[in-house]
Amino acid sequence: MAFDIDMIKGVYARMKERVDIAREVVGKPLTLSEKILYNHLWDGNATTAFERGKDYVDFAPDRIACQDATAQMALLQFMQAGKSKVAVPTTVHCDHLIQAKDGAAVDLKHANSVSSEVFNFLESVSNKYGIGFWKPGAGIIHQVVLENYAFPGGMMIGTDSHTVNAGGLGMVAIGVGGADAVDVMAGMAWELKFPKLIGVKLTGKLSGWTAPKDVILKVAEILTVKGGTGAIVEYFGPGATAMSCTGKGTICNMGAEIGATTSTFGYDESMERYLRSTDRADVADAANKVKEYLTADPEVYASPEKYFDQVIEINLSELGPLLNGPFTPDLSTNVGKEMKEKATANDWPIAVEWGLIGSCTNSSYEDLSRAASIAQQALDKGIKMKSELGINPGSEQVRYTAERDGILQVFEKLHAKIFTNACGPCIGQWARYSDPKNAPKNSIVHSFNRNFAKRADGNPNTHAFVASPEITAAIAIAGRLDFNPMTDKLISENGEEVMFEEPTGWELPPKGFEVKDNGYLAPEEDGSHVQVNVSPTSERLQLLEPFEPIGNTIKDAKLLIKAFGKCTTDHISMAGPWLRFRGHLDNISNNCLIGAVNAYNQKTNFVKNQLTGEYGGVPDVQRQYKAKGIKTIVVGDHNYGEGSSREHAAMEPRFLGVAAVIVKSFARIHETNLKKQGMLGLTFANEADYDLIQEDDTFNFLDLNEFAPGKQLTLEAVHADGSKDLIKLNHTYNQPQIDWYNAGSALNLIKRQNAS
Ligand code: MIC
Ligand code: SF4
């Protein structure tokens, strides 16, 4: 059904020749990442060795996956490209637009009613253009992809930053903005700067309370949220092969949290077991025939420092369970004593109000079974759960099987809520409060990947900590952030002191996976007759109008906002309640940068309007500049645009008339998204020049008419007292990307090419 064995065999059939040639050309043994990259060159066999971190290279991905919140904008753009069918196998997954409130049955029904317009749109566009459609409730995109589509040695892109999850099955899977996906859907190459390579050697073995999640929480501590930028992280070593395939998925998934382009593991027996248990014995058989091409050359893992740009070694036998947070996924703390000290010192609430298990990071059968083993102990030992617990299974297949095997019932007996197979609280689709802005300070623990402020429940005072599913379960039951399940006792309902034993679980369901209706709808062979309707009065969907080029003269521009500190895509284009407008550019633009902190007053959504001298909300002030035809710039700090792949974070400022975003450094996907939409994404040549920008400045770009690859641009900042500063700006635009800028957007250029 859903996957294409012939396509996979085609990838394997050409692998030997292409990889052998690449090895010659590069002149040394190859890592797995390089093998996959060189086997997916758009131009066929390698003729030159690419310089890591420098050369832009055209690739031909095997597949595309989109989720409902980003697919709307991606497909609205694809509809303009003038094609009748997607050129590469593509799927759409409805998982973000489903709120968690009362439990799966009620919540799914509600989502199907409030978002029917969007779901119908996605279903009909999918049907028309040959795209596979996964209905609401079918599961979270990355779990469904791992179960159905991912294959060792493949390359895919997806309009979601956690597309990288498929690295757990040995892919190079990369998150992109919708406009990138549209290129590939339209039959064009996909361009990426040839990544640097980070090798992570895992020695020892996971045991006891330590889970794959702790490996990536540790890597996040070591590399921080930007340490993986521009790099593929390749895991290897005995600790890697000893781990389950879905566990590898967890590790790759959170590669997004360290800014990595993607992460991957070499093909091994855990992957083979996973393929066979998910009904893909033919993929496993095909992969077995090209095994040595699905992992690095032996020399590489023998002396990794020779072949990777950076090598990290982690001894899994010494690793203990971690809690990362609050507010950033790279702040690691050991469970127990260390957490007690830090929480007390920083005034983090010790009482835990919720534990949440799920998200694309940790919602596999193994995850649920290990967490359930803790829940079962609570039932057996008479421990009452002190906080609340919510579970989002990763897919209908996981849910159905977990129910058949009695796993879900264990959680239910403990009064946990089973939510829909969907993102739910992970993306703010959680009806926790009626008025989140004024909600109290509290702590929650979850097995998700992101914990930026307000992300789960909209409450800026919620301190969210990321942990493995088993630790999440134990802490939720104990109700304390500083609980150490390895040493601490709990008091049972009949007053006895009891302790948890180590979690146990099943890598794969002993009786195999099972599902009745997996929620997949195949497209029609010929969808040309399918009508796609977008009502002109809809508040959720709006057909796109092409952007006008910004042009080579930017004079007398104003500062919209100088963002202070962390400015993630959640700050630029918030999710949660705003997800409903993801298909309506004008409406969603009303959330533009409302979460960014204004460097001049430390407030959010409160910026000075230079025309009136008054302060107002960012979108309002920007709309006033736009009405007067005044261009603006946005200034930001490091790793600007970290987090999501959502291109709305670029399209909204573009639509509202921002000409340039100038920052100390960018997160990769966001930088590309800005380029695709025909805007300027620039960095300070001298980081300290960030401090030169003042609130009342007027800006002139002095040499934009000479915009060229590798050439700095000069910005003149004219201060209120008439004094001036000249600021040098770097950029990474190559010539085709400058062509996008000149055309107004990459899509404008595709349209022009298809018309001619
Ligand atoms: C996320 O985890 O932030 C999301 C929601 O999945 C995003 C995509 C989106 O904003 O729709 C992502 O990670 O790319
Ligand atoms: Fe969904 Fe959360 Fe995964 Fe994003 S990170 S795809 S919101 S489950």
Side-chain angles (χ1 to χ4, degrees):
M1 60 105 226
F3 68 91
D4 185 348
I5 183 69
D6 293 335
M7 178 266 279
I8 297 172
K9 285 188 173 159
V11 172
Y12 292 166
R14 64 171 198 245
M15 201 148 194
K16 183 169 165 21
E17 181 187 334
R18 287 216 190 167
V19 170
D20 290 347
I21 291 180
R23 193 183 295 104
E24 286 278 294
V25 168
V26 174
K28 54 180 180 185
L30 297 177
T31 60
L32 167 65
S33 314
E34 287 168 302
K35 290 183 184 179
I36 302 178
L37 293 171
Y38 278 104
N39 189 30
H40 286 86
L41 295 182
W42 179 258
D43 294 323
N45 286 337
T47 51
T48 161
F50 297 110
E51 195 177 331
R52 298 178 191 170
K54 182 132 190 289
D55 290 334
Y56 280 95
V57 179
D58 280 347
F59 291 102
D62 305 313
R63 302 200 65 89
I64 303 171
C66 307
Q67 41 87 340
D68 49 0
T70 49
Q72 299 171 58
M73 207 45 96
L75 296 180
L76 283 164
Q77 293 176 82
F78 180 70
M79 285 163 68
Q80 292 197 12
K83 296 282 177 186
S84 59
K85 230 181 169 105
V86 286
V88 167
T90 302
T91 47
V92 163
H93 303 256
C94 297
D95 55 0
H96 282 61
L97 299 176
I98 304 162
Q99 207 186 34
K101 187 167 180 243
D102 298 317
V106 183
D107 295 348
L108 183 58
K109 210 162 155 218
H110 182 69
N112 273 322
S113 114
V114 294
S115 289
S116 62
E117 183 187 2
V118 171
F119 294 144
N120 289 340
F121 167 77
L122 294 175
E123 187 180 323
S124 59
V125 180
S126 299
N127 198 11
K128 185 170 182 65
Y129 296 106
I131 299 171
F133 182 76
W134 289 82
K135 291 189 280 194
I140 307 175
I141 174 169
H142 311 302
Q143 180 67 33
V144 173
V145 164
L146 200 70
E147 284 174 5
N148 294 277
Y149 301 119
F151 65 98
M155 176 188 256
M156 71 176 273
I157 57 169
T159 59
D160 189 280
S161 62
H162 293 103
T163 303
V164 293
N165 189 69
L169 204 34
M171 281 198 122
V172 161
I174 302 183
V176 298
D180 272 30
V182 170
D183 284 356
V184 180
M185 287 179 197
M188 294 161 43
W190 175 62
E191 189 191 62
L192 178 75
K193 198 190 274 172
F194 203 86
K196 292 198 172 244
L197 301 176
I198 300 177
V200 179
K201 181 170 183 183
L202 302 178
T203 59
K205 202 169 183 272
L206 290 174
S207 65
W209 284 88
T210 315
K213 183 63 160 274
D214 299 303
V215 178
I216 186 62
L217 296 181
K218 185 73 189 172
V219 171
E221 175 194 328
I222 297 170
L223 285 176
T224 80
V225 289
K226 50 182 204 302
T229 308
I232 296 187
V233 184
E234 188 169 322
Y235 291 85
F236 60 94
T241 39
M243 204 181 276
S244 69
C245 174
T246 50
K248 293 180 171 81
T250 298
I251 293 177
C252 292
N253 180 292
M254 274 194 75
E257 277 49 66
I258 55 166
T261 302
T262 191
S263 310
T264 195
F265 283 81
Y267 181 58
D268 65 15
E269 283 168 14
S270 73
M271 295 185 193
E272 178 175 357
R273 288 195 295 275
Y274 187 73
L275 284 169
R276 293 194 191 281
S277 82
T278 50
D279 206 13
R280 290 176 290 171
D282 46 0
V283 180
D285 292 342
N288 284 343
K289 291 195 187 123
V290 289
K291 249 189 186 145
E292 68 273 28
Y293 290 91
L294 300 174
T295 187
D297 290 338
E299 299 86 335
V300 171
Y301 296 157
S303 5
E305 45 308 314
K306 277 204 205 149
Y307 303 99
F308 290 101
D309 300 288
Q310 183 183 352
V311 178
I312 295 170
E313 186 167 330
I314 299 176
N315 182 349
L316 302 186
S317 307
E318 287 168 8
L319 188 68
L322 296 167
L323 280 162
N324 282 25
F327 307 121
T328 183
D330 56 356
L331 182 59
S332 276
T333 306
N334 290 308
V335 298
K337 193 164 154 282
E338 199 193 339
M339 177 49 89
K340 190 189 184 82
E341 285 160 15
K342 267 206 209 172
T344 316
N346 293 293
D347 210 11
W348 299 337
I350 291 282
V352 171
E353 297 196 358
W354 271 88
L356 297 159
I357 295 173
S359 94
C360 56
T361 325
N362 272 119
S363 54
S364 66
Y365 184 87
E366 182 181 38
D367 290 330
L368 297 188
S369 73
R370 287 178 66 84
S373 77
I374 302 304
Q376 183 65 53
Q377 290 183 48
L379 293 170
D380 295 345
K381 297 178 197 235
I383 312 170
K384 209 168 161 235
M385 184 156 65
K386 305 289 181 311
S387 18
E388 293 188 71
L389 184 63
I391 315 276
N392 286 87
S395 71
E396 176 56 13
Q397 175 160 280
V398 165
R399 192 208 65 78
Y400 190 94
T401 311
E403 184 174 65
R404 181 201 65 193
D405 296 347
I407 291 178
L408 294 187
Q409 293 82 333
V410 174
F411 294 122
E412 276 167 338
K413 277 192 213 134
L414 211 59
H415 306 294
K417 265 198 185 140
I418 311 295
F419 297 126
T420 318
N421 315 316
C423 305
C426 179
I427 193 55
Q429 292 281 30
W430 187 21
R432 185 179 180 193
Y433 301 110
S434 51
D435 181 13
K437 277 195 209 88
N438 297 310
K441 186 166 168 180
N442 75 104
S443 287
I444 63 173
V445 176
H446 60 57
S447 75
F448 308 164
N449 41 38
R450 295 198 170 135
N451 55 357
F452 305 139
K454 300 196 218 171
R455 174 153 173 119
D457 58 9
N459 174 4
N461 303 312
T462 293
H463 291 52
F465 295 83
V466 181
S468 68
E470 41 272 56
I471 287 291
T472 302
I475 288 190
I477 292 166
R480 289 184 64 90
L481 194 59
D482 58 357
F483 178 65
N484 183 347
M486 295 170 288
T487 54
D488 295 354
K489 299 195 170 75
L490 292 170
I491 305 295
S492 74
E493 284 183 282
N494 40 29
E496 285 163 24
E497 283 193 336
V498 288
M499 272 183 80
F500 284 124
E501 280 141 47
E502 289 174 356
T504 56
W506 299 99
E507 173 185 329
L508 293 163
K511 286 187 270 165
F513 280 111
E514 201 177 326
V515 65
K516 279 266 145 56
D517 172 6
N518 66 2
Y520 178 69
L521 284 183
E524 289 182 46
E525 205 34 63
D526 175 5
S528 56
H529 64 94
V530 177
Q531 286 283 334
V532 176
N533 297 323
V534 174
S535 156
T537 56
S538 169
E539 59 153 18
R540 306 232 9 210
L541 295 166
Q542 181 187 42
L543 293 174
L544 292 171
E545 294 289 333
F547 292 132
E548 287 293 322
I550 290 171
N552 286 331
T553 321
I554 302 180
K555 281 193 72 183
D556 299 327
K558 298 291 180 196
L559 177 71
L560 175 60
I561 183 170
K562 175 164 151 178
F564 170 81
K566 215 176 187 41
C567 191
T568 72
T569 42
D570 280 359
H571 298 82
I572 307 172
S573 174
M574 197 188 171
W578 291 91
L579 283 176
R580 53 189 276 103
F581 296 126
R582 283 288 185 88
H584 197 294
L585 187 51
D586 195 6
N587 285 346
I588 195 149
S589 294
N590 290 328
N591 81 359
C592 185
L593 283 156
I594 61 175
V597 176
N598 180 352
Y600 302 106
N601 55 23
Q602 302 297 313
K603 292 189 178 159
T604 53
N605 206 21
F606 199 64
V607 293
K608 187 165 177 182
N609 180 339
Q610 303 297 331
L611 304 175
T612 61
E614 280 164 20
Y615 282 80
V618 182
D620 276 2
V621 169
Q622 177 57 34
R623 282 187 194 271
Q624 293 176 43
Y625 288 129
K626 187 181 183 187
K628 293 255 160 33
I630 296 172
K631 295 194 172 102
T632 56
I633 69 166
V634 168
V635 169
D637 211 311
H638 273 300
N639 211 19
Y640 182 90
E642 155 190 358
S644 157
S645 67
R646 62 190 77 141
E647 61 197 325
H648 306 76
M651 290 180 95
E652 294 174 25
R654 174 72 170 105
F655 173 75
L656 292 176
V658 175
V661 178
I662 305 172
V663 299
K664 291 186 188 169
S665 65
F666 279 112
R668 172 188 62 88
I669 307 178
H670 186 64
E671 183 179 20
T672 309
N673 286 344
L674 291 170
K675 292 177 179 178
K676 284 269 167 181
Q677 301 303 334
M679 293 179 76
L680 292 174
L682 309 167
T683 50
F684 292 104
N686 174 8
E687 268 174 28
D689 287 355
Y690 170 92
D691 300 326
L692 295 176
I693 308 288
Q694 294 172 24
E695 196 172 22
D696 303 306
D697 285 353
T698 299
F699 303 95
N700 302 311
F701 282 79
L702 300 186
D703 44 15
L704 194 54
N705 52 348
E706 292 160 27
F707 191 17
K711 186 176 178 303
Q712 282 187 331
L713 292 172
T714 318
L715 179 73
E716 180 183 65
V718 184
H719 307 302
D721 63 2
S723 65
K724 291 177 183 172
D725 277 303
L726 285 189
I727 298 176
K728 287 286 176 200
L729 302 172
N730 290 339
H731 70 82
T732 60
Y733 288 71
N734 57 21
Q735 192 51 52
Q737 295 171 338
I738 292 178
D739 296 342
W740 303 341
Y741 176 77
N742 290 333
S745 71
L747 186 61
N748 287 354
L749 211 60
I750 303 187
K751 273 202 323 209
R752 220 183 276 162
Q753 284 157 358
N754 281 336
S756 61

